[in-house]
Amino acid sequence: MPSTTGGYPTESLARVGPPDQQKAQEIRAEFLHAWNGYRRNAWGHDELLPVSGRYREFFSRRHPVGLSIVEALDTHYVMGLDDEVARSLDWIRSRLDLDVDADFQVFETIIRLVGGLLAGYLATGEAELLARCVDLADRVLPAFTMSPTGMPYRHVNLRTGAVSGAEVPLAEIGTNILEWGVLSRLTGDSRYYEAAKRALAAVVARRSDLDLLGTTMNVESGQWADGADIAPNPPTDSFYEYLWGGWAMFGDAECLNWFRIFDASLKKHLAERVGGLLWFKQVDHRTGELLGRRQSSLAVAILPVGGDNALAADYFRSWTAVQDTYTVIPELIDYSRLTVLSPGNALRPEYANCAFELYGHTGDPFYRDTAWRYFQNLRTHHRVPGGYTTVTDVTKRPMAKGDHCPAYVFAENFKWLYLTFADAPRFDYTNGYLSTEGKILRGLRHPQ
C-alpha cells in the first residue's frame, strides 16, 4: 500500500459555524424512531417492512445476517447511543454467522457488511468485529482472485467460494478500495488493497480514446458489454468516487491521476446546461454520440469529491431545483424538462450526503438550509408509525408509500444530517472520511 506518512493528502472538512443542537436532536430522535421500529419487528433480520410490521432478508432468504444491525453500528456510536452499540455487539458476537451456502453480491457485501464491521471496529475497538471482517473478506476475495482480469465477479458463495456473474456494472467493479484498503492497513495484509487496485487498473486500461468508460464489463473477457458512458449515474457512480478515495485515504498517486483523467473527460464530453442547470448527458463511450438525457438521484453525491466545489455546487443546485419542484426527489428524471421517469423514492440519502460535504468544504449556510428542508420532507412523507418507509410516487398527494426500510437508512440518511447540524464529539470534522455507504472509515474519536 502507498504510504500516508506526513498526513492525509485530501481537502479537509471543517466545523464551520456553530452547531444547531436543536435540529441535531430532532434528527437523532427520528433515527431512533426508525431504529425502534426495526428493534420491535425485525431484530436480527436484514431489513424492516415498517408498514406491515414484518421483515425481509437482503442477501439470502434463508439466512439473515443482521444487515441493519451492522449498518447502524457507527451511527449509534457517533450519536452517543451506547446502549444500542452494546446491544448490537451482543447480537454480532452470539448470532452473526457468515458461513452461508448462498451467493452474496460482492459489491453490497463489501460496502455494507465489510464496511460496517470495519466502521464498528474503528468505533469500539472490539476485536471480534475485526476478526469477523477478516473472515468475511477472505470469503469474498475469490471473486477477485478467480477472475482472469482481476475484476471481480458479481457474486460469490460465502461457504464454497464459487463465483458467478461475469457481466458486472462499473461501480460494482471499482467500489472496494476504501474498505479493502482500511482492512489492509489494520491487518498488515496487503492482499485486499492489491486486489482492489488491480480491479481499478483493469478498468482504466480499457477506457476509450476519449477517456470514457462503458457501463458494464464482462470480467472474464475484459470486453465492454455496454458502451454507454452514463457517469455520474448509477451503476457507474461510485467507481469515480473511489478513485478519489484511493488518493484521499491512502495517498495513491496513480488513483489521483486516474481520477483526473475521468474528471476531465466527464466535464468535456458529458456536462451540459439545460434551462440554466448543470446536468450530465449519456454518450457512446467510443464516439461521444448523444444517447440520452436521464439523471438518477443517486448521482448528486459524486461530485463533491475531487475538490471542485464550484462544479459540485452547480450540480447540487440542479437537484435542489428538483427537490423544490417535487418536494421529495424522484428516482429518475428527464432533465431536459425536469419530468419524472421513475416516481418512487427509496429513501435515497445522496442529497443529504452532498449537502454535508459541501457545507463542510465551503461553510455556506445554504447547504444546511437545504439539508433541513430535505429532513422535513423526509419526516413528513416517509415517516410511518412503524419507522420510515419508501415512497412509491412523489407526484401524488398524499404521496403513495411502500413498505420497506432499506438497511442503508441506518448508515446514511440520518448520519449525514446529524453530522451536518451537530458538533459531534466522536467525529473529527477536520479529517473524517466516509465511504459511499456512509461508513466512517477515518475520523472516529474516542473522548475520555
Side-chain angles (χ1 to χ4, degrees):
M1 284 179 61
S3 171
T4 55
T5 303
Y8 299 106
T10 180
E11 84 285 356
S12 65
L13 298 173
R15 168 49 53 220
V16 288
D20 189 327
Q21 296 295 10
Q22 180 178 344
K23 287 187 169 75
Q25 290 308 308
E26 287 188 49
I27 293 162
R28 184 178 184 268
E30 291 307 304
F31 170 80
L32 280 171
H33 174 72
W35 179 251
N36 287 335
Y38 171 78
R39 276 186 55 197
R40 282 193 305 272
N41 294 312
W43 181 250
H45 294 278
D46 288 350
E47 294 185 320
L48 169 68
L49 306 180
V51 175
S52 62
R54 296 179 294 117
Y55 52 79
R56 55 170 273 186
E57 314 308 350
F58 183 81
F59 292 102
S60 169
R61 291 181 183 177
R62 304 186 313 277
H63 195 109
V65 290
L67 180 60
S68 290
I69 295 172
V70 176
E71 292 256 49
L73 275 171
D74 66 328
T75 307
H76 291 319
Y77 177 80
V78 83
M79 288 186 178
L81 299 168
D82 291 343
D83 288 346
E84 298 306 322
V85 173
R87 183 178 285 108
S88 298
L89 287 176
D90 285 345
W91 187 90
I92 290 170
R93 291 189 198 101
S94 62
R95 302 296 300 276
L96 179 59
D97 179 11
L98 297 170
D99 184 29
V100 185
D101 187 11
D103 293 338
F104 275 47
Q105 190 176 349
V106 172
F107 166 73
E108 301 287 0
T109 302
I110 292 173
I111 66 170
R112 293 178 165 213
L113 291 175
V114 173
L117 291 168
L118 280 174
Y121 170 73
L122 293 170
T124 66
E126 177 65 38
E128 178 74 12
L129 294 179
L130 183 58
R132 295 297 185 99
C133 189
V134 170
D135 174 56
L136 177 59
D138 287 345
R139 294 175 185 273
V140 173
L141 205 55
F144 294 79
T145 58
M146 294 181 68
S147 167
T149 62
M151 294 181 283
Y153 286 91
R154 197 171 197 199
H155 296 96
V156 64
N157 185 296
L158 291 193
R159 176 173 293 172
T160 69
V163 296
S164 59
E167 291 195 355
V168 186
L170 182 60
E172 298 189 20
I173 295 171
T175 308
N176 43 65
I177 198 167
L178 290 179
E179 294 81 4
W180 272 174
V182 171
L183 186 57
S184 283
R185 176 182 285 166
L186 291 172
T187 62
D189 187 339
S190 64
R191 291 179 303 146
Y192 311 111
Y193 188 87
E194 289 169 356
K197 185 69 181 295
R198 281 196 300 271
L200 290 175
V203 172
V204 175
R206 289 164 173 82
R207 69 189 187 274
S208 74
D209 292 340
L210 299 178
D211 288 330
L212 298 175
L213 300 171
T215 300
T216 305
M217 178 76 74
N218 186 302
V219 301
E220 292 181 334
S221 69
Q223 300 298 310
W224 290 107
D226 184 322
D229 193 319
I230 64 171
N233 292 288
T236 70
D237 47 347
S238 49
F239 173 85
Y240 303 96
E241 183 184 355
Y242 272 44
L243 287 178
W244 178 259
W247 161 251
M249 281 287 286
F250 311 113
D252 192 317
E254 197 166 27
C255 284
L256 174 62
N257 181 55
W258 293 339
F259 175 86
R260 286 174 171 167
I261 288 171
F262 295 121
D263 182 55
S265 67
L266 180 146
K267 293 173 184 175
K268 180 178 180 180
H269 297 288
L270 276 65
E272 67 172 352
R273 290 189 175 276
V274 177
L277 299 175
L278 174 67
W279 301 103
F280 295 90
K281 59 190 175 183
Q282 295 84 58
V283 304
D284 186 296
H285 84 296
R286 296 156 300 185
T287 66
E289 177 186 359
L290 176 68
L291 297 177
R293 289 191 167 92
R294 297 185 171 198
Q295 212 86 141
S296 166
S297 61
L298 279 74
V300 65
I302 302 305
L303 266 64
V305 303
D308 191 339
N309 290 328
L311 185 76
D314 218 351
Y315 193 49
F316 182 83
R317 288 179 183 272
S318 298
W319 282 106
T320 300
V322 178
Q323 176 171 257
D324 291 346
T325 301
Y326 295 103
T327 308
V328 171
I329 296 172
E331 293 285 310
L332 189 68
I333 64 167
D334 177 339
Y335 67 74
S336 64
R337 295 172 294 168
L338 287 193
T339 53
V340 175
L341 297 176
S342 180
N345 181 290
L347 283 163
R348 298 298 185 190
E350 282 74 18
Y351 185 83
N353 175 351
C354 192
F356 165 79
E357 297 282 356
L358 286 172
Y359 179 68
H361 292 162
T362 70
D364 187 339
F366 170 77
Y367 300 109
R368 268 189 170 176
D369 294 340
T370 50
W372 186 246
R373 288 206 302 275
Y374 167 91
F375 170 70
Q376 290 176 307
N377 296 335
L378 182 75
R379 183 166 54 183
T380 297
H381 297 287
H382 290 274
R383 194 185 204 269
V384 293
Y388 272 75
T389 193
T390 57
V391 163
T392 58
D393 194 336
V394 304
T395 68
K396 292 182 178 179
R397 295 295 183 273
M399 291 186 188
K401 291 181 173 62
D403 185 16
H404 180 213
C405 181
Y408 54 71
V409 169
F410 300 115
E412 298 194 71
N413 305 61
F414 295 104
K415 183 190 292 161
W416 294 118
L417 291 164
Y418 180 77
L419 292 176
T420 300
F421 292 96
D423 185 9
R426 293 179 173 183
F427 180 70
D428 183 348
Y429 285 89
T430 301
N431 289 311
Y433 204 93
L434 285 76
S435 74
T436 195
E437 187 73 1
K439 306 300 191 301
I440 303 174
L441 298 180
R442 186 177 76 205
L444 284 165
R445 287 175 165 168
H446 303 88
Q448 298 298 318

